[in-house]
Amino acid sequence: MQDFLSSLVSVAFHGLAYGMILYVISVGLSVTMGLMGFVNLAHGVFAMAGGYVMLSAMNSYGVSFPIAVATAFIAVAVASMVLERLLYSRLYTAGELDQVLFTIGLIFMSVAIARLVYGTLPQPVRLPDYLTGQLHFLGRDFPAYRVFLILFSISIIGLLWFGVERTRWGAMVRAAVDYRAMAQSVGINTSRLFTLTFALGSGLAALGGALGAEIIAIQPTYPFEHLVFFLIVVAVGGLGSLRGPFVAALLIGVTDTACKYWVPEFGAFFIFSVTIAVLLWRPEGLFGRAA
Amino acid sequence: MSPALETQSLCKSFGALTVASEINFRLEPGARHALIGPNGAGKTTFVNMLTGRIPPTSGRILIGGEDITALGQAARVKRGLGRTFQINTLFQNVAVVDNVAFAVAEREGIAWRMFRPARSYRGVLDESMALLDTLGLAADARLTVAGLPYGKQRLVEIAIALGLKPSVLLLDEPAAGVPSLESHRILEVLDALPKDIAILIIEHDMDLVFRFAQRITVLTQGTVLVEGTPAEIAADHQVREVYLGERHA
Amino acid sequence: MNHTGGYVADPRIRAIEWLPWAIALLCYFVAPTYLPLGSYVLTMIIFALSLDLILGYGGIITLGHSAYFGTGAYAAGILAARLTGEPLIGLLAGTLAAGLLGLITGLIILRTRGLALLMLTLAITSLCFEVANKATSWTGGADGLGGFTIQPILGLFKFDFLGKTAYVYCLVVLFACWWLVRRLVYSPFGASLTGVRENNVRMHAAGAPVYRRLVIAYTISAALAGLAGALLTQTTQFVGLKVLGFELSGELMVMLILGGFGRIYGAFVGPLVFLVAQDYLAKQFPEYWYFGIGAMLVLVVMFARGGILGIIDAIIARLRRTQS
Amino acid sequence: MRLKTSSLLAALALAAISGLAAAQTVKIGIITTYSGPGSAQGDQLDKGFKLYLKLNAGKLPPGVKVEPVFRDDTGANADAAKRLAQELIAREKVQFLTGVVWTPNAAAIAPLTAEAKVPFVSANAAGVSIPRISPYFARVSFTLWQSAYPLGQWAAKKFKRAYTVVSDFSPGHEAEEAFTKGFKEAGGEIVGSARVPMTATDFVPYMQRVKDAKPEVIFAFNPAGKQATAQMKAYADLDLNKAGIKYIGTGDITTDEELQNMGDAALGVMTVHHYSAAADRSANKAFVAAYKKEYGEKLNPGFMVVGAWDAMEMIFHAIREQNGKIDPDRTMQLIKNYKNPNSPRGPIQIDPETRDIMQNEYLREVRKVGGQLANVELETLGTLLKDPWKEFNKPK
């Protein structure tokens, strides 16, 4: 019994860390899909880019870990703004199929570019000393970096929720998600709002990619390999919501970890079964608005 | 003779919000009936309940005396309920005649057939062409809907509904969005509709309503305020207050 | 160039529709060393045709069509490994197995639309993938299923290692599929599918049992996909897990949209251009051909919506205008 | 006019004959992985082939040239690999096939080589039973039994309780089976085993499970590359070393090209394998130096680079012996009797019975040498070892 409780704590902890990373990466996708109705399959590209920027900053330029993470966020957010203005914005009115095709094209191109610049091997992650080692509490050892991941993600999420619930920008986003036409008619500059929101969503993905590089290795095929999980988080959570993907990410993180721990032979069955069950029960996702 | 369409104590609420309460409504065979009411009166909800797009919270809907409350959209159509949409809901990239033929084929029950070419079902095509001819659309039959002016697209809406040979026809703002120059065409068409079809028209254009309808029902806040002949409604003091008054004030 | 079906469309086969078959036959004689690639292209055309039926005509966006392709592939492979290597029975088994799965999953997923449907198709494919990955005694797991032999077709035509028999076999099967799909598209059923794609709401209002009709279309499409999968199994005499991967679904969708969907021949042009470009680029720039394919997709979306056949249509329309 | 034509034809024919005599070109079809998730491994093979071809063009008889034809199989994608092999044989008329990272791909190609009589040298694909599919197949790489079985026997002398964690595909299963057999035969006990899906990214839950089972040692196998790194990191993250659990495996889990990326997590990990870039044999030193000169000081060649290098060396040997006029059966004779006392990995030869590789297996430990992580060879566990599986499973 003691053993069981103790392993329960471990599973919850590791699941939480994994779920947090999934959430930070995917939340931007939920907002852009909800706000702009844009099916952006290339979202993982931004996460990968964040990882590469952070790792190059650290490995090639000797930049310290916190500054490298901040650089990843800013660089990718700015780059995504350019991309949004030049390419994405032209496709807001296009059909879903065109958007899918376009973003798959972007993934292909980014995979090739990443390979050209960084080669095929996963990039090494060297954490600063103060984030390595174990922390001991609740009668178990916990890796310090994962504790940091959880705490840091919680503060990011807190900031994000505060931003959406309490600021003028957040009010505009919420209004635009609910009633796009109305938001336009009351004079919200939706084009600028879209650009900023897109940049923030991509920046968050970059942050998640960078922080999660230790768990989800950064290598050129990243945007393809993990796409399914990002999409599942968004679809199970519900479009245009902040809380939905959070619950979904934790659900997936914890169940995936639990499955690996107790029934490793059942691999990834569980995640997909949960996804199917949730979507049949609530097609619009756990916290999505009914269509 | 039972009414063509009837509702008994029809109610609908979304959570705490009640959008239809205790609507009792009768549409006699061959009637020309108008449903009016200010924005948000619950007209659209009422139509959606009639057609089966949303289920009522309580109450019954009957077509020709038969309870259809539990039936799906397709089954209601089979029992003679046709409708048009307030905003054009057409097969945009398809030929005008096919828009009508799709409906005719559904009515005839041949839309399941998988082997013989659709064109070999001459009856469907001939009927669709004849229908378009009566609406003055014969010349446009082979164009795609997307290429037609809006006024003509409104007529296609009506043509599709007629292709179902309905006994009850719901016209949801048939003249909405049509430039005034073309709106007389709509009226001509409405006047020429077969007399045996019971028609319920939901409309904002009061000129049209008073020219076309023999009876008028006024809906406010999800309930029937009053029902009567156009003359009675025009004279009704309540209606003037909540509806016409508001409009002309 | 359009094959939209409907009650006025002329269903007779136009002269230009013989062109693909003439080219395919010509390839057999002119480019005998390209036949393995050719067989693969022909197989993918069948697969793309099956997707066109539900995506192009029915308007269902799916990232899970490989579930049916893979089921067909494994059904044919397992049959050959355990019971008989008779190719026509294998094709039938693949078709039926995939059709059955299509019917069951169609009943479930077609209750939803949009993102939920997309994700359900994705999840179902991934689930099938995991099942095949785990059932190693039947499927060989990640190592794939091989080591079976396919008997000569009708007892007469042996599969040779240069792929000549396989090519002709694929061509004949494709021809049959094309004929069937074309019949279907021009039939009242095909017309009603177009109606569902163009306007779901109106189709309901016209009294069409939309859900049931989509389930039927989905089942037919899944069966066709299974047929294509079985064909791949037989011509390569191997089944790898990749046939169930969602990447294959994505690639297929890309091919179809690239060619132009909802017009039958988009399913011919797309796989041909995509796979030949991939083959060519992969030889010239094995490390970076992905970039070329990606750039091609982005350009198509930016400048040529409607795919390659869409561009051709636009060019023809412009030529006609300048003439008149 | 007629005279002109016929003399022209004669001249052309003459030119063609003399051209043939002057330049005998041998085409070698090389199938590896350039795109997709497996491109890191494919890249290793590619580097090995290209390095050998660049440095050894002069080692051919005069007038004989080699033309490599590279193809991308996009990963563990057997039908694509088979198609490429068909094309290489039919269109390019290659006289050798080599490369191939993945076992399923090699298994799909092998039957073709039997039919078309094209010698096929596996530079990596290690599936233990592939040589039995085709008499034209030979392997210079390795089998997992070669490393995991002796490792099991060695480990049982030091540890009593082992937990196996392997990737869930046939090389993983083979490694698990071989280690378990070796370990049990020598008196050890397996307390648990896990097979990790190929798609897994986070290995911490598996390692947590191992930690809670409290074995003395973990036997790990992952395909070389990111999975190996991720699993090792998870081991380090949970500090299993401090919990008294040792980490051992086949050389796939500490490949030389990837080792620097693993960081200090890898320190102290013990493996058995046939090749280490840190080995101090002179042939290896020259090889590593040439590799660094070509691809950069920071990079180390992994065992796949050596696999490709030795495959090409063997093919060159067959070409030299036949003076560029390749006969498939003669080639297979030469390959079956092939011996190379001076490969970077030490002496190697082909077992004429099984057409599989015979080589030394070394016990190594990851240590820091000159500030860099290295697989330091401690002892030789077997000399010119045959594949144990084929010894246990002799065809009747």
Side-chain angles (χ1 to χ4, degrees), chain D residues 5-326:
Chain D
T5 319
S6 59
S7 58
L8 195 69
L9 278 173
L12 274 175
L14 198 71
I17 294 164
S18 57
L20 268 179
Q24 183 77 255
T25 302
V26 179
K27 277 192 163 183
I28 304 175
I30 298 174
I31 297 174
T32 166
T33 304
Y34 291 99
S35 55
S39 49
Q41 286 97 320
D43 185 52
Q44 289 277 301
L45 288 188
D46 182 67
K47 285 195 161 104
F49 286 127
K50 288 192 172 143
L51 184 65
Y52 187 92
L53 289 168
K54 187 174 176 185
L55 299 181
N56 296 283
K59 290 190 182 169
L60 291 168
V64 176
K65 276 199 327 196
V66 154
E67 188 187 330
V69 187
F70 293 93
R71 290 288 184 267
D72 175 17
D73 62 18
T74 72
N77 192 357
D79 56 277
K82 182 177 178 185
R83 204 156 49 242
L84 292 171
Q86 277 176 314
E87 275 179 25
L88 285 171
I89 295 169
R91 195 185 317 154
E92 303 294 340
K93 309 245 181 314
V94 298
Q95 287 145 306
F96 290 93
L97 276 174
T98 185
V100 189
V101 178
W102 311 98
T103 292
N105 296 13
I109 294 170
L112 285 179
T113 64
E115 212 167 333
K117 297 195 173 179
V118 176
F120 173 27
V121 179
S122 167
N124 188 64
V128 73
S129 59
I130 309 173
R132 292 190 180 164
I133 303 176
S134 164
Y136 291 87
F137 178 91
R139 172 157 49 208
V140 293
S141 53
F142 62 99
T143 72
L144 282 152
W145 277 82
Q146 269 178 333
S147 49
Y149 181 69
L151 174 63
Q153 293 186 315
W154 171 83
K157 290 180 213 146
K158 306 238 166 193
F159 313 102
K160 291 294 137 223
R161 294 155 50 78
Y163 204 112
T164 64
V165 183
V166 302
S167 288
D168 192 4
F169 72 140
S170 74
H173 304 165
E174 282 174 16
E176 181 193 273
E177 202 185 330
F179 176 83
T180 304
K181 187 172 167 72
F183 193 68
K184 279 186 173 167
E185 278 175 3
E189 181 202 356
I190 304 286
V191 296
S193 61
R195 291 178 172 184
V196 183
M198 295 295 285
T199 48
T201 50
D202 186 8
F203 287 76
V204 162
Y206 299 104
M207 285 298 137
Q208 184 73 50
R209 186 181 162 86
V210 174
K211 191 177 183 180
D212 295 344
K214 300 191 177 69
E216 290 167 48
V217 64
I218 299 175
F219 169 76
F221 171 83
N222 313 95
K226 63 175 188 279
Q227 289 212 319
T229 308
Q231 186 167 317
M232 181 113 42
K233 279 213 158 117
Y235 168 82
D237 273 352
L238 293 179
D239 242 352
L240 265 65
N241 196 21
K242 218 163 77 186
I245 304 170
K246 189 83 177 162
Y247 198 75
I248 63 172
T250 66
D252 303 77
I253 63 170
T254 58
T255 56
D256 296 291
E257 82 274 14
E258 178 70 9
L259 194 55
Q260 302 311 324
N261 289 356
M262 292 181 176
D264 292 349
L267 274 177
V269 170
M270 303 197 71
T271 54
V272 169
H273 217 223
H274 57 270
Y275 178 71
S276 161
D280 53 8
R281 288 176 291 279
S282 61
N284 184 49
K285 285 193 161 157
F287 170 71
V288 173
Y291 186 85
K292 286 182 180 277
K293 189 169 165 229
E294 183 71 20
Y295 299 113
E297 259 321 296
K298 279 185 172 172
L299 295 181
N300 279 314
F303 67 89
M304 291 194 197
V305 180
V306 180
W309 174 279
D310 282 337
M312 214 34 104
E313 170 87 29
M314 187 161 88
I315 291 171
F316 267 49
H317 167 76
I319 296 172
R320 263 196 308 270
E321 291 296 313
Q322 300 176 80
N323 209 10
K325 298 191 181 62
I326 307 300

Side-chain angles (χ1 to χ4, degrees), chain A residues 51-62:
Chain A
Y52 274 125
V53 170
M54 177 191 86
L55 295 171
S56 327
M58 286 173 70
N59 296 346
S60 308
Y61 299 98

